[in-house]
Coordinates of all heavy atoms in Angstrom, one line a residue:
H157 N 0.9 -1.2 0.0 CA 0.0 0.0 0.0 C 0.9 1.2 0.0 O 1.0 2.0 1.0 CB -0.9 -0.1 1.2 CG -1.9 1.0 1.3 ND1 -2.6 1.3 2.4 CD2 -2.4 1.9 0.3 CE1 -3.5 2.3 2.1 NE2 -3.4 2.7 0.9
A158 N 1.6 1.5 -1.1 CA 2.5 2.5 -1.2 C 2.0 3.9 -0.9 O 2.7 4.8 -0.5 CB 3.2 2.5 -2.6
G159 N 0.7 4.1 -1.2 CA 0.1 5.4 -0.9 C -0.2 5.7 0.5 O -0.5 6.9 0.8
C160 N 0.0 4.8 1.4 CA -0.3 5.1 2.9 C 0.9 6.0 3.4 O 2.0 5.7 3.3 CB -0.3 3.8 3.6 SG -0.5 4.1 5.4
R161 N 0.5 7.1 3.9 CA 1.4 8.1 4.5 C 1.8 7.8 5.9 O 2.8 8.2 6.4 CB 0.9 9.5 4.4 CG 0.7 10.0 3.0 CD 0.1 11.4 3.0 NE -1.2 11.5 3.4 CZ -1.6 12.1 4.5 NH1 -0.7 12.8 5.2 NH2 -2.9 12.1 4.9
H162 N 0.9 7.0 6.5 CA 1.1 6.9 8.0 C 1.8 5.6 8.4 O 2.5 5.5 9.4 CB -0.2 6.9 8.8 CG 0.0 7.1 10.2 ND1 0.5 8.3 10.7 CD2 0.0 6.3 11.3 CE1 0.5 8.2 12.0 NE2 0.3 7.0 12.4
A163 N 1.8 4.5 7.5 CA 2.4 3.3 7.9 C 3.9 3.4 8.2 O 4.4 2.8 9.1 CB 2.2 2.3 6.7
P164 N 4.7 4.2 7.4 CA 6.1 4.4 7.8 C 6.3 5.0 9.2 O 7.2 4.6 9.9 CB 6.6 5.4 6.6 CG 5.7 5.1 5.5 CD 4.3 4.9 6.1
R165 N 5.4 5.9 9.6 CA 5.5 6.5 10.9 C 5.2 5.5 12.0 O 5.8 5.4 13.0 CB 4.7 7.7 11.0 CG 5.2 8.9 10.2 CD 4.4 10.2 10.3 NE 4.2 10.5 11.8 CZ 5.2 11.1 12.5 NH1 6.4 11.2 12.0 NH2 5.0 11.5 13.7
M166 N 4.2 4.7 11.7 CA 3.8 3.6 12.7 C 4.9 2.6 12.8 O 5.2 2.2 13.9 CB 2.5 3.0 12.3 CG 2.0 2.0 13.3 SD 0.5 1.2 12.7 CE 0.3 -0.1 14.0
A167 N 5.5 2.3 11.7 CA 6.6 1.3 11.7 C 7.8 1.9 12.5 O 8.6 1.2 13.2 CB 7.0 0.9 10.3
Q168 N 8.1 3.2 12.2 CA 9.1 3.9 13.0 C 9.0 3.8 14.4 O 9.9 3.5 15.2 CB 9.2 5.3 12.4 CG 10.3 6.2 13.2 CD 10.1 7.7 12.9 OE1 9.4 8.1 11.9 NE2 10.7 8.5 13.7
L169 N 7.7 4.0 14.9 CA 7.4 4.0 16.3 C 7.6 2.6 16.8 O 8.1 2.4 17.9 CB 6.0 4.4 16.5 CG 5.5 4.4 17.9 CD1 6.3 5.2 18.9 CD2 4.0 5.0 18.1
A170 N 7.1 1.6 16.1 CA 7.3 0.2 16.6 C 8.8 -0.1 16.7 O 9.2 -0.8 17.7 CB 6.6 -0.7 15.6
A171 N 9.6 0.3 15.7 CA 11.0 0.0 15.8 C 11.7 0.7 17.0 O 12.5 0.1 17.7 CB 11.7 0.5 14.5
R172 N 11.2 1.9 17.3 CA 11.8 2.7 18.4 C 11.4 2.0 19.7 O 12.2 2.0 20.6 CB 11.4 4.1 18.4 CG 12.2 5.0 19.3 CD 12.2 6.4 18.9 NE 10.9 6.9 18.8 CZ 10.1 7.3 19.8 NH1 10.6 7.3 21.0 NH2 8.9 7.8 19.6
L173 N 10.2 1.5 19.9 CA 9.7 0.8 21.1 C 10.6 -0.5 21.2 O 10.9 -0.9 22.3 CB 8.3 0.6 21.0 CG 7.4 1.8 21.0 CD1 6.0 1.5 20.8 CD2 7.6 2.6 22.3
A174 N 10.8 -1.2 20.1 CA 11.7 -2.4 20.2 C 13.1 -2.0 20.7 O 13.7 -2.7 21.5 CB 11.7 -3.0 18.8
G175 N 13.6 -0.9 20.3 CA 14.9 -0.4 20.7 C 14.9 -0.1 22.2 O 16.0 -0.1 22.8
L176 N 13.8 0.2 22.8 CA 13.7 0.4 24.2 C 13.7 -0.8 25.0 O 13.8 -0.8 26.3 CB 12.4 1.3 24.6 CG 12.5 2.7 24.2 CD1 11.1 3.4 24.5 CD2 13.6 3.5 24.8
G177 N 13.6 -2.0 24.4 CA 13.6 -3.2 25.0 C 12.3 -3.8 25.3 O 12.1 -4.8 26.0
L178 N 11.2 -3.2 24.7 CA 9.8 -3.8 24.9 C 9.6 -5.1 24.1 O 10.2 -5.3 23.0 CB 8.8 -2.8 24.5 CG 8.4 -1.7 25.6 CD1 9.5 -0.8 25.9 CD2 7.1 -0.9 25.1
A179 N 8.8 -6.0 24.7 CA 8.5 -7.2 24.0 C 7.4 -7.0 23.0 O 6.6 -5.9 23.1 CB 8.0 -8.3 25.0
P180 N 7.2 -7.9 22.0 CA 6.1 -7.6 21.0 C 4.7 -7.3 21.6 O 4.0 -6.4 21.1 CB 6.1 -9.0 20.3 CG 7.5 -9.5 20.4 CD 7.9 -9.1 21.7
A181 N 4.3 -8.1 22.6 CA 3.0 -7.8 23.3 C 2.9 -6.4 23.9 O 1.8 -5.7 23.8 CB 2.6 -8.8 24.3
Q182 N 4.0 -6.0 24.5 CA 4.0 -4.6 25.1 C 4.0 -3.6 24.0 O 3.2 -2.6 24.1 CB 5.3 -4.5 25.9 CG 5.3 -5.3 27.2 CD 6.7 -5.3 27.8 OE1 7.7 -5.3 27.2 NE2 6.7 -5.2 29.1
I183 N 4.7 -3.8 22.9 CA 4.7 -2.8 21.8 C 3.2 -2.7 21.2 O 2.8 -1.6 20.9 CB 5.7 -3.2 20.7 CG1 7.1 -3.1 21.3 CG2 5.5 -2.3 19.5 CD1 8.2 -3.6 20.3
E184 N 2.6 -3.9 21.0 CA 1.3 -3.8 20.4 C 0.3 -3.1 21.3 O -0.6 -2.4 20.8 CB 0.8 -5.3 20.1 CG 1.6 -5.9 18.9 CD 1.1 -7.2 18.5 OE1 -0.1 -7.4 18.4 OE2 1.9 -8.1 18.2
K185 N 0.5 -3.3 22.6 CA -0.4 -2.6 23.6 C -0.2 -1.1 23.5 O -1.2 -0.3 23.5 CB -0.1 -3.1 25.0 CG -1.1 -2.5 26.1 CD -0.7 -3.2 27.4 CE -1.8 -2.7 28.5 NZ -1.6 -1.2 28.8
V186 N 1.0 -0.7 23.5 CA 1.3 0.7 23.4 C 0.7 1.3 22.0 O 0.1 2.4 22.1 CB 2.8 1.0 23.4 CG1 3.2 2.5 23.1 CG2 3.4 0.7 24.8
L187 N 0.9 0.6 20.9 CA 0.4 1.1 19.7 C -1.1 1.2 19.7 O -1.7 2.2 19.2 CB 0.8 0.2 18.5 CG 2.4 0.1 18.2 CD1 2.7 -1.0 17.1 CD2 2.9 1.5 17.7
T188 N -1.8 0.2 20.2 CA -3.3 0.2 20.3 C -3.7 1.4 21.1 O -4.6 2.2 20.6 CB -3.7 -1.1 20.9 OG1 -3.4 -2.2 20.0 CG2 -5.3 -1.1 21.0
E189 N -3.1 1.6 22.3 CA -3.6 2.7 23.1 C -3.3 4.0 22.5 O -4.0 5.0 22.6 CB -3.1 2.6 24.5 CG -3.5 1.3 25.3 CD -2.9 1.1 26.6 OE1 -2.0 1.8 26.9 OE2 -3.4 0.3 27.4
Y190 N -2.1 4.1 21.9 CA -1.6 5.4 21.3 C -2.6 5.9 20.2 O -3.0 7.0 20.2 CB -0.2 5.2 20.8 CG 0.3 6.4 20.1 CD1 0.8 7.6 20.8 CD2 0.4 6.5 18.7 CE1 1.3 8.7 20.2 CE2 0.9 7.7 18.1 CZ 1.4 8.8 18.8 OH 1.8 9.9 18.2
Y191 N -2.9 5.0 19.3 CA -3.7 5.4 18.1 C -5.2 5.5 18.5 O -5.8 6.4 18.0 CB -3.5 4.4 16.9 CG -2.1 4.6 16.4 CD1 -1.1 3.6 16.5 CD2 -1.8 5.8 15.7 CE1 0.1 3.8 16.0 CE2 -0.5 6.0 15.2 CZ 0.4 4.9 15.3 OH 1.7 5.2 14.8
A192 N -5.7 4.8 19.5 CA -7.0 4.9 20.0 C -7.2 6.3 20.6 O -8.3 6.9 20.6 CB -7.4 3.9 20.9
S193 N -6.1 6.9 21.2 CA -6.2 8.1 21.9 C -6.5 9.3 21.1 O -6.9 10.4 21.6 CB -4.9 8.3 22.7 OG -3.8 8.7 21.9
F194 N -6.4 9.2 19.8 CA -6.6 10.3 18.9 C -8.1 10.6 18.7 O -8.5 11.7 18.4 CB -6.0 10.1 17.5 CG -4.5 10.3 17.5 CD1 -3.6 9.3 17.9 CD2 -4.0 11.5 17.1 CE1 -2.2 9.5 17.9 CE2 -2.6 11.7 17.0 CZ -1.8 10.7 17.5
D195 N -9.0 9.6 18.9 CA -10.4 9.8 18.6 C -11.0 10.7 19.7 O -10.6 10.7 20.8 CB -11.1 8.4 18.7 CG -10.7 7.6 17.5 OD1 -10.4 8.1 16.4 OD2 -10.8 6.3 17.6
A196 N -12.0 11.5 19.3 CA -12.5 12.5 20.2 C -13.1 11.9 21.5 O -12.8 12.6 22.6 CB -13.7 13.2 19.4
P197 N -13.7 10.8 21.6 CA -14.2 10.4 22.9 C -13.1 10.1 23.9 O -13.4 10.0 25.1 CB -15.0 9.0 22.5 CG -15.4 9.2 21.1 CD -14.2 10.0 20.5
K198 N -11.9 9.8 23.4 CA -10.8 9.5 24.3 C -10.1 10.8 24.8 O -9.3 10.6 25.7 CB -9.7 8.7 23.5 CG -10.2 7.3 23.1 CD -10.2 6.3 24.4 CE -10.5 4.9 23.9 NZ -10.4 4.0 25.1
R199 N -10.4 11.9 24.3 CA -9.7 13.1 24.7 C -10.3 13.7 25.9 O -11.6 13.8 26.0 CB -9.7 14.1 23.5 CG -8.9 13.7 22.3 CD -8.9 14.7 21.2 NE -8.1 14.2 20.0 CZ -6.9 14.6 19.7 NH1 -6.3 15.5 20.4 NH2 -6.3 14.1 18.6
A200 N -9.5 14.2 26.8 CA -10.0 14.8 28.0 C -10.6 16.2 27.7 O -10.1 16.9 26.8 CB -8.9 14.9 29.1
K201 N -11.6 16.5 28.4 CA -12.2 17.9 28.3 C -11.5 18.8 29.3 O -11.9 18.9 30.5 CB -13.7 17.9 28.6 CG -14.4 16.9 27.6 CD -14.4 17.3 26.2 CE -15.3 16.5 25.3 NZ -14.9 15.0 25.2
L202 N -10.5 19.4 28.8 CA -9.6 20.2 29.8 C -9.9 21.7 29.7 O -10.1 22.3 28.5 CB -8.1 20.0 29.4 CG -7.6 18.6 29.5 CD1 -6.1 18.6 29.2 CD2 -7.9 18.0 30.9
D203 N -10.0 22.4 30.8 CA -10.2 23.9 30.8 C -8.8 24.5 30.5 O -7.9 24.3 31.3 CB -10.7 24.3 32.1 CG -10.7 25.8 32.3 OD1 -10.6 26.5 31.2 OD2 -10.8 26.3 33.4
V204 N -8.7 25.1 29.4 CA -7.4 25.8 29.1 C -7.6 27.3 29.1 O -6.6 28.1 29.2 CB -6.9 25.4 27.7 CG1 -6.5 23.8 27.8 CG2 -7.8 25.7 26.6

């Protein structure tokens, strides 16, 4: 899927987490939580 702009960045993140010493299951957990956090229902309603 050469047209995907985000896959290289997700792969870069996975590689960096591997470099920190995380196991595959830990990396997948971080990736799942990280990308889910972008959706509006996951965002905190902060008074700024």
Side-chain angles (χ1 to χ4, degrees):
H157 187 193
C160 178
R161 294 179 294 118
H162 197 71
R165 289 183 53 72
M166 182 179 175
Q168 174 192 345
L169 176 56
R172 194 156 54 79
L173 294 173
L176 290 176
L178 275 67
Q182 293 172 318
I183 295 174
E184 290 187 40
K185 183 176 186 294
V186 172
L187 292 175
T188 296
E189 293 179 349
Y190 176 77
Y191 289 109
S193 72
F194 283 83
D195 292 333
K198 293 283 188 178
R199 293 180 184 257
K201 304 296 190 294
L202 302 181
D203 173 16
V204 297

